[in-house]
Amino acid sequence: MKIAHVVDSANKMVYAAEQEDGRLLRVETDGPLQFGKTTQEEVTAVRWLPPVEPRVIICIGANYTEHIKEGGFETPKYPVVFMKNPAAALGHRETIHIPQVCGDEVDYEGELALVIGKKCRNVTQEKAMDYVLGYTAANDVSARLWQLEKGGTQWCRGKGFDNFAPLGAFLVTTDEITDPDNLTIETRLNGKTVQKDNTANMLFNVATLISFLSQDTTLLAGTVILTGTPQGIGWARKPRRLLQRGDTITIEIAGIGQLSNTVE
């Protein structure tokens, strides 16, 4: 299923499944991350919420070779891990607000995100996919000066401002995404492609990341893992192209769809 979490025309938060004709039909839920049958009740989305409410957001840096080159990093031996504030999560078509404490430094990073569906610990790579509920598109919005200079050598601060973790529009369950390690991912800024790659080119694939992150560490249901961004970020461009008021940034991943946000 392709599941959305939206505010409907009655101002209620509901889950809905996208149909082949584009309609949204309400999905029954049996609790957090427990989706039941799809009803025949049509839903009008007035506002899009993140498709899941993250328990925690774990992010991976430097996971595509060409992005490593453009950033001047060394190729890591192990996954580069940092965190985002779960309160930074933002829905499809919502607005990314540039923080007052930021200058011309706020950047985009289109990424594949996965959602852990059940609690796990010490998972092998062979069993890792058993714990995935589904996949969504993500934008690892980043304030580069805070990331590089003001965060005390850590990335969490520069990547954890409010609105800095857009997710959506849909959570696509694993029955529809059978191979997350072979998906085209593209980022468009005002309609122009600025990033394009395939998840096959990740240094550490989905199963490897889950296994690594779960080593003697409990991953709770609702954990969202961002798997890294390909080359083409605005900070590495010459001249640099950072997010500005009035921009529209769209992430599109094969089989998952689009996540689009405006900037103010």
Side-chain angles (χ1 to χ4, degrees):
M1 286 195 296
K2 295 182 72 173
I3 302 170
H5 192 201
V6 303
V7 176
D8 68 8
S9 55
N11 202 35
K12 294 181 179 180
M13 291 187 293
V14 298
Y15 288 95
E18 186 185 50
Q19 307 303 296
E20 290 185 1
D21 59 7
R23 291 183 303 143
L24 294 176
L25 298 181
R26 186 176 64 83
V27 172
E28 294 181 348
T29 57
D30 300 319
L33 306 178
Q34 300 293 321
F35 303 111
K37 70 176 184 179
T38 301
T39 71
Q40 293 303 306
E41 180 184 340
E42 192 164 346
V43 173
T44 298
V46 175
R47 180 185 171 199
W48 295 73
L49 305 171
V52 297
E53 185 175 343
R55 294 289 298 272
V56 65
I57 302 175
I58 304 175
C59 306
I60 304 299
N63 203 23
Y64 287 81
T65 301
E66 294 303 316
H67 176 54
I68 291 169
K69 291 179 181 178
E70 73 176 356
F73 309 122
E74 293 185 4
T75 301
K77 295 181 180 179
Y78 305 99
V80 176
V81 181
F82 61 96
M83 313 281 281
K84 279 183 179 280
N85 182 359
L90 187 71
H92 174 58
R93 296 181 180 172
E94 295 291 287
T95 301
I96 299 168
H97 292 278
I98 296 176
Q100 294 182 5
V101 294
C102 293
D104 186 22
E105 60 176 295
V106 179
D107 207 348
Y108 54 83
E109 291 192 8
E111 307 196 11
L112 171 71
L114 64 99
V115 179
I116 297 296
K118 53 185 178 180
K119 184 170 69 174
C120 62
R121 183 175 183 269
N122 288 330
V123 178
T124 65
Q125 291 187 33
E126 292 74 22
K127 295 290 187 180
M129 309 310 289
D130 295 343
Y131 295 90
V132 179
L133 176 65
Y135 304 91
T136 191
N139 190 346
D140 176 17
V141 182
S142 305
R144 298 302 184 192
L145 295 177
W146 280 87
Q147 178 187 357
L148 300 173
E149 299 176 10
K150 301 178 183 180
T153 74
Q154 302 298 308
W155 293 358
C156 300
R157 190 69 184 96
K159 289 171 172 279
F161 289 103
D162 288 351
N163 315 138
F164 270 29
L167 300 169
F170 295 96
L171 173 71
V172 183
T173 51
T174 54
D175 58 315
E176 294 198 20
I177 302 291
T178 57
D179 185 6
D181 299 318
N182 187 21
L183 301 174
T184 300
I185 179 169
E186 182 175 356
T187 304
R188 294 189 293 274
L189 178 59
N190 300 327
K192 179 182 178 181
T193 298
V194 289
Q195 293 182 290
K196 190 170 185 179
D197 210 323
N198 191 291
T199 57
N201 294 321
M202 293 192 298
L203 293 179
F204 306 102
N205 66 17
V206 168
T208 300
L209 293 175
I210 295 170
S211 180
F212 178 82
L213 293 171
S214 71
Q215 291 175 356
D216 293 295
T217 303
T218 299
L219 302 180
L220 298 173
T223 295
V224 175
I225 301 173
L226 275 60
T227 60
T229 198
Q231 71 280 1
I233 62 170
W235 189 255
R237 291 180 171 271
K238 297 181 180 180
R240 287 174 175 162
R241 177 57 168 94
L242 289 308
L243 295 178
Q244 306 290 332
R245 175 186 291 181
D247 283 344
T248 297
I249 189 76
T250 301
I251 318 299
E252 184 167 4
I253 303 178
I256 295 174
Q258 295 185 5
L259 164 68
S260 189
N261 299 94
T262 55
V263 180
E264 287 294 341

